[in-house]
Amino acid sequence: MIALGLEGSANKLGVGIISHPHPSKPPVILANLRHTYVSPPGEGFLPKDTAKHHRSYVVRLVKQAMKQAGVKVEDLDCICYTKGPGMGAPLQAVAIAARTLSLLWGKKLVGVNHCVGHIEMGRAITGAENPVVLYVSGGNTQVIAYSSRRYRIFGEALDIAVGNCLDRFARTIKIPNDPAPGYNIEQLAKKGKNLIDLPYTVKGMDASFSGILASADILAAQIADTLPEEKRLKAEDGSLVTKEDLCFSLQETVFAMLVEITERAMAHVGSSQVLVVGGVGCNERLQEMMGLMARDRGGSVFATDERFCIDNGIMIAHAGLLAYETGITTALEDSTCTQRYRTDEVFVGWRE
Amino acid sequence: MASAAHPEPIEPIQPLQPPSGRPRGGHDQHTLPAPFLPDACEPLTQGAEALVYRTHFLTPQTPAVLKYRPPKPYRHPTLDKRLTKARLLAEARVLVKCRREGVSVPAVLGADWEGGWLVLEYVGGGTVRGVLDGWVHRLPELSREGNSETISEGRKKSEEEEALWELMRKVGRAVGRLHEIGVCHGDLTTSNLMVRDEEEYTENETNLPPSGDIVLIDFGLATQTIQDEDRAVDLYVLERAFAATHPAAEPLFQEVLRTYGGSFKGAKSVLRRLEDVRLRGRKKSMLG
Amino acid sequence: MATVRKFHLPHYPSYPIYISTFKNVENAAFLRSQLLEGNPNFDYAFLDASTILSLNHILLPAFLALSLHTSGRAKTKTVHSELVFRLHPNNNIAESFKKFGIGDSSRNIIAVKIGGFMKEGQDEVAEESVSRHLGEVVQGDSTDPGERGERLGEECEMEKVRKMYKLESGAGGGGKKGKKIGNTGEAVNGMGGEEKDRKEMESVVLGVITLKGS
């Protein structure tokens, strides 16, 4: 079976085409295209502009994907789209595109939970069978484990998502959003040396990031080069604290929190595998820290590269097709989208 | 998805059985902090945070529990030291506060924040979980003897049942006292409630639950707070632990709540808050 | 010769702890002056017995002193001064000596010596020399601390200890205000009321010593 997937819950528009040749065989990726809306430095992406971006690119991307995959319309079994969670306007723009294609081509629709898309794609790519999943992106921070046909949320961010914390700090220190704010923070962090104290806010298996962002913002104001040198923030050895130091400290602190809550969930369910998905999951330092933790527990970490970590259409096609194969479709009148859509609301009929 | 448009009710996460067999990266992989040596320390449990051993402290006649928080290799060493110290201190402070105010918890016998360890009084006895499991195990047999499967008010209770109910009242009072002095446990499961018994509690011949005091253990996630919300979450966690034991344990937990409700001035309002927490299932709705 | 009892911390088998007790001491002022002068022959912790509850009340600060001393983290010069300092609930060194060390008028004293800092095989000699030396320099009646140190708290003034460790509760969230720890006087499980009080007090005191200054 073959599915087309459309993703647009945030600033990436993704179109993917996947084939499930046989239940016993791994899925085949026929096309996986993405176009990202990049806002200027110091600014986030606004829903209205992002939706406009998605509308202007979706036709082009679908045509290109079909061409690249070498499939004809009649080869497709269903059209999968992101139902939520995400930003309202961009979600709607893509849902309209999906409905249009469904009517135009006479194909069934399948609404997909974005988080479940990430999890299923991560499992398919890495071969991790039953891992604890850390899902970290600009909009989500969740520690998830599978149990009796649900992806259950064991821990999550109590306020803003970790990716949002990083993105907003990138805006504070005015670094480019191209290719991604988190990527640019990661590059700066590699040059950081001094660890500056930031709040560390873990509560059981939950975490909170807004206080850390507020503290980091205050520190950033204290290193501005418009300040006279004697008034600027100094490290313990007396050297001036740099932007790089702050990026380093921010990453070290928030990633340690993520690894800690993940470890707690692993201890709770008795699992030694961990899968990291979502845009922040591309970060090599996070992957390294997670690996050290997993090794200490006698386990291993699974992560994917930017093709699958960052929002994409193929994961929506894949998760949608898994559901479609169990007989699930979304009727046209139900093909809405929603900003709030919990991972554990989805009945995972395709797993034991 | 069709199922997503009309989501089925979601059952709460049940505490899962602890993994059988220790993971490889457990006690055997870590070096104990000086001056503790492996031959004098017998591994008890491994959480995500701490390794727990049974040992002796100060004199060979004083059995003790060593809680060691080994360095986390993934954490920046400066951050790791800061967190280990802060958490050990917080745990010790809460325990000493409890002991000062007469709440039954293990005494703090010693610690070294830099070394990452804390030594606590060894509490002999079994857990409330063990008592409940033993009772659930014998339920079929009890019903054959003419007791109904569930305990209902108004029927004369057997000696065992009466002892069990008394135990529940003790649990209610112990949790009430803890909350009254401004401490919330943070991980209040039936495994963290001990029944003190100087002669180690085993499945005794009479089947009677032990009659010792309730001792609350494992304050690694405890906080000093008097918020109804935190107190209610403690009760909610305990409720789920009871529910995970057996449906028949439900009336027993009602007895815990009843006693808790009368145990201190603010308890009634905590019970009202518990209703909200139940509805929420502890987790807030997620933003996209 | 003074009666000396030897104790071993389970995790520090090579550092024996010698404890002697004296009553009716006449020359506390002299002993104290020797400490102040730093006389190397007076390498002891001399404690005022009225401040000591039990054997564990000495062994915990001894353990901590050893642990900090052997890892170079001690705040005072010798393992014995560190022991006295560790007894005190806060970080004032002078105050710790004033409160727990002997004063010029102390009548009942406890002498503690931590061995093991000499070469191997000298332990027995040390025990004997401690006994002889203390017997010579302390003018008072040597008493037996008991094989398990069970008589160490006999001269303790409970009210004084309670005050030093601030054991009157009531600071925290709405508990029974003004309740004193270890003052229930009830006899439970065949254990005498006072013995139970002392045990309960000890358990809090050990915690307070652990939390010292933090």
Side-chain angles (χ1 to χ4, degrees):
Chain A
M1 285 206 222
I2 296 177
L4 174 88
L6 298 171
E7 150 65 27
S9 61
N11 68 332
K12 284 103 189 162
L13 174 68
V15 177
I17 300 172
I18 202 157
S19 161
H20 288 183
H22 187 268
S24 66
K25 289 191 177 135
V28 180
I29 295 157
L30 303 174
N32 187 21
L33 301 177
R34 174 165 54 213
H35 198 275
T36 304
Y37 170 60
V38 179
S39 52
E43 283 178 35
F45 50 92
L46 297 172
K48 194 182 75 172
D49 302 334
T50 311
K52 197 175 158 196
H53 164 267
H54 291 358
R55 278 196 299 272
S56 7
Y57 280 89
V58 69
V59 174
R60 227 178 297 180
L61 238 55
V62 170
K63 278 185 174 169
Q64 210 180 322
M66 291 293 282
K67 197 175 160 197
Q68 192 183 336
V71 294
K72 294 187 286 296
V73 168
E74 49 269 35
D75 298 330
L76 293 178
D77 290 275
C78 58
I79 309 286
C80 311
Y81 75 100
T82 307
K83 187 178 176 65
M87 288 169 82
L91 279 172
Q92 272 175 25
V94 174
I96 289 169
R99 271 177 237 142
T100 309
L101 289 177
S102 160
L103 291 172
L104 197 65
W105 293 343
K107 304 289 174 187
K108 293 283 188 192
L109 275 171
V110 183
V112 176
N113 180 299
H114 180 87
C115 314
V116 172
H118 271 297
I119 297 168
E120 290 305 346
M121 203 62 216
R123 285 180 60 226
I125 294 294
T126 63
E129 271 174 32
N130 188 21
V132 164
V133 182
L134 175 68
Y135 171 32
V136 274
S137 67
N140 292 283
T141 306
Q142 299 177 353
V143 181
I144 298 157
Y146 176 81
S147 161
S148 348
R149 304 222 145 151
R150 300 266 177 199
Y151 285 113
R152 291 167 194 273
I153 303 169
F154 276 61
E156 60 189 316
L158 296 170
D159 39 46
I160 60 171
V162 62
N164 190 241
C165 174
L166 294 170
D167 292 355
R168 282 161 68 176
F169 186 67
R171 266 180 252 165
T172 303
I173 56 172
K174 298 254 173 16
I175 58 176
N177 290 326
D178 186 28
Y183 177 83
N184 293 327
I185 286 192
E186 182 179 1
Q187 304 317 311
L188 287 177
K190 284 178 183 167
K191 294 175 214 143
K193 283 181 191 69
N194 296 304
L195 188 84
I196 312 299
D197 266 10
L198 285 168
Y200 186 97
T201 35
V202 160
K203 199 179 173 191
M205 286 190 235
D206 298 328
S208 152
F209 297 99
S210 61
I212 298 172
L213 174 64
S215 301
D217 284 351
I218 291 168
L219 292 174
Q222 294 170 2
I223 64 162
D225 42 23
T226 49
L227 285 174
E229 204 168 302
E230 68 274 13
K231 287 203 174 160
R232 276 189 249 166
L233 191 66
K234 311 272 191 318
E236 266 179 29
D237 63 0
S239 62
L240 284 175
V241 172
T242 62
K243 216 190 271 194
E244 286 79 4
D245 288 337
L246 291 187
C247 290
F248 171 68
S249 305
L250 183 61
Q251 275 200 176
E252 288 299 312
T253 306
V254 298
F255 292 168
M257 290 165 56
L258 294 174
V259 176
E260 178 179 340
I261 60 175
T262 308
E263 181 172 22
R264 203 164 281 147
M266 287 168 77
H268 194 83
V269 303
S271 167
S272 61
Q273 287 186 336
V274 54
L275 170 67
V276 188
V277 300
V280 183
C282 290
N283 190 296
E284 288 171 4
R285 177 60 183 148
L286 175 60
Q287 292 181 2
E288 179 191 29
M289 288 166 77
M290 202 58 91
L292 287 166
M293 179 275 284
R295 198 187 61 188
D296 213 31
R297 301 191 64 79
S300 43
V301 62
F302 297 87
T304 56
D305 61 37
E306 57 84 32
R307 287 172 301 165
F308 306 105
C309 250
I310 298 172
D311 292 351
N312 59 79
I314 201 75
M315 68 184 203
I316 300 302
H318 177 57
L321 194 50
L322 287 173
Y324 183 76
E325 285 158 359
T326 68
I328 285 177
T329 56
T330 306
L332 188 69
E333 56 272 27
D334 295 328
S335 65
T336 52
C337 45
T338 169
Q339 286 175 268
R340 287 155 198 257
Y341 187 3
R342 286 182 65 87
T343 313
D344 51 14
E345 283 175 35
V346 178
F347 180 76
V348 185
W350 54 91
R351 282 186 73 175
E352 284 302 309
Chain B
M1 267 167 248
S3 66
H6 302 287
E8 293 174 25
I10 300 149
E11 320 91 76
I13 299 165
Q14 299 296 343
L16 302 177
Q17 292 297 319
S20 55
R22 270 186 272 133
R24 274 199 291 123
H27 293 85
D28 26 313
Q29 226 185 36
H30 289 284
T31 319
L32 284 165
F36 299 95
L37 293 168
D39 26 329
C41 300
E42 171 202 340
L44 287 178
T45 60
Q46 181 196 10
E49 299 287 302
L51 302 171
V52 182
Y53 301 83
R54 189 180 167 159
T55 184
H56 289 87
F57 196 65
L58 302 183
T59 73
Q61 294 83 39
T62 316
V65 166
L66 169 68
K67 259 188 123 167
Y68 174 46
R69 289 174 177 265
K72 295 286 183 191
Y74 63 83
R75 261 193 315 236
H76 189 286
T78 310
L79 178 60
D80 191 58
K81 285 200 184 79
R82 184 185 118 201
L83 290 174
T84 300
K85 183 177 173 178
R87 287 169 179 184
L88 280 173
L89 250 171
E91 184 171 358
R93 277 200 191 114
V94 162
L95 288 170
V96 172
K97 181 188 171 83
C98 287
R99 272 313 263 250
R100 272 179 185 280
E101 314 238 3
V103 178
S104 193
V105 300
V108 173
L109 302 182
D112 183 341
W113 324 120
E114 268 77 38
W117 57 263
L118 180 63
V119 176
L120 304 174
E121 170 194 6
Y122 179 83
V123 179
T127 63
V128 168
R129 178 178 174 163
V131 175
L132 289 175
D133 284 350
W135 170 70
V136 166
H137 188 67
R138 284 192 313 281
L139 271 179
E141 174 190 332
L142 292 173
S143 63
R144 265 201 310 280
E145 284 165 16
N147 294 313
S148 65
E149 275 213 18
T150 53
I151 299 170
S152 55
E153 291 275 12
R155 181 175 53 78
K156 196 176 176 305
K157 297 188 189 86
S158 70
E159 199 186 350
E160 173 179 2
E161 278 178 11
E162 190 39 63
L164 199 57
W165 280 59
E166 180 51 32
L167 189 66
M168 295 305 115
R169 289 190 279 271
K170 280 183 184 167
V171 170
R173 277 193 294 271
V175 177
R177 273 292 289 147
L178 181 76
H179 286 178
E180 185 182 12
I181 67 160
V183 174
C184 282
H185 184 281
D187 187 22
L188 196 61
T189 62
T190 44
S191 306
N192 285 335
L193 292 166
M194 304 266 309
V195 191
R196 196 191 283 275
D197 190 345
E198 300 313 332
E199 288 124 54
E200 298 266 326
Y201 171 65
T202 47
E203 278 209 43
N204 52 18
E205 314 229 318
T206 59
N207 286 334
L208 284 180
S211 56
D213 286 340
I214 296 292
V215 184
L216 297 124
I217 62 162
D218 196 356
F219 282 71
L221 292 173
T223 45
Q224 302 207 23
T225 163
I226 52 163
Q227 299 289 317
D228 278 357
E229 171 69 17
D230 298 320
R231 291 169 168 173
V233 168
D234 256 3
L235 295 178
Y236 182 65
V237 170
L238 186 59
E239 180 169 65
R240 290 204 319 214
F242 267 79
T245 304
H246 196 269
E250 162 69 18
L252 290 174
F253 186 69
Q254 288 311 314
E255 185 69 1
V256 173
L257 288 184
R258 199 186 60 76
T259 321
Y260 176 89
S263 68
F264 70 105
K265 211 169 140 236
K268 288 279 189 297
S269 101
V270 177
L271 292 180
R272 281 193 295 275
R273 187 56 170 255
L274 176 61
E275 311 265 325
D276 300 344
V277 175
R278 278 192 193 120
L279 287 175
R280 244 183 316 128
R282 202 168 80 88
K283 299 291 182 186
K284 66 176 181 65
S285 180
M286 178 186 62
L287 287 161
Chain C
M1 297 287 275
T3 308
V4 174
R5 291 285 183 179
K6 182 174 164 184
F7 300 92
H8 279 107
L9 293 165
H11 301 285
Y12 282 110
S14 51
Y15 297 92
I17 293 166
Y18 305 105
I19 301 182
S20 281
T21 47
F22 296 90
K23 276 186 191 173
N24 307 316
V25 175
E26 305 280 354
N27 64 340
F30 165 75
L31 298 172
R32 194 168 155 263
S33 70
Q34 298 306 300
L35 293 181
L36 289 174
E37 284 167 23
N39 183 339
N41 293 325
F42 282 73
D43 199 8
Y44 297 98
F46 283 122
L47 307 173
D48 188 317
S50 66
T51 65
I52 299 299
L53 267 178
S54 62
L55 175 64
N56 282 348
H57 193 188
I58 295 176
L59 293 184
L60 175 62
F63 181 100
L64 295 172
L66 268 170
S67 165
L68 295 167
H69 204 72
T70 52
S71 57
R73 290 180 293 155
K75 292 269 159 53
T76 63
K77 272 189 197 157
T78 71
V79 72
H80 296 111
S81 56
E82 191 69 17
L83 191 160
V84 181
F85 177 51
R86 290 289 140 196
L87 272 166
H88 196 46
N90 67 42
N91 278 327
N92 188 326
I93 296 176
E95 208 174 85
S96 66
F97 275 86
K98 218 163 115 188
K99 287 193 169 158
F100 293 91
I102 49 167
D104 289 349
S105 57
S106 293
R107 298 280 291 165
N108 303 320
I109 70 169
I110 300 175
V112 186
K113 180 157 185 91
I114 301 182
F117 288 95
M118 55 279 284
K119 285 185 199 110
E120 267 181 55
Q122 291 188 345
D123 272 5
E124 288 313 304
V125 182
E127 184 167 1
E128 217 187 286
S129 68
V130 168
S131 166
R132 192 181 314 115
H133 185 241
L134 284 175
E136 281 164 14
V137 299
V138 181
Q139 290 171 23
D141 309 330
S142 167
T143 55
D144 184 4
E147 194 185 345
R148 291 192 170 185
E150 64 274 9
R151 300 182 57 193
L152 271 168
E154 279 181 0
E155 301 306 322
C156 179
E157 290 169 29
M158 304 273 276
E159 205 50 45
K160 195 169 168 182
V161 175
R162 195 172 279 133
K163 217 167 151 186
M164 285 196 291
Y165 290 101
K166 299 195 173 65
L167 298 188
E168 284 84 0
S169 80
K176 292 174 180 67
K177 296 244 172 0
K179 182 182 159 254
K180 286 176 180 174
I181 288 160
N183 201 17
T184 55
E186 303 160 39
V188 180
N189 296 338
M191 207 194 245
E194 201 193 293
E195 196 186 336
K196 190 170 178 279
D197 282 357
R198 192 183 292 259
K199 265 317 230 193
E200 190 51 37
M201 246 174 104
E202 180 195 286
S203 72
V204 181
V205 165
L206 298 184
V208 175
I209 290 176
T210 301
L211 284 172
K212 177 188 182 69
S214 54

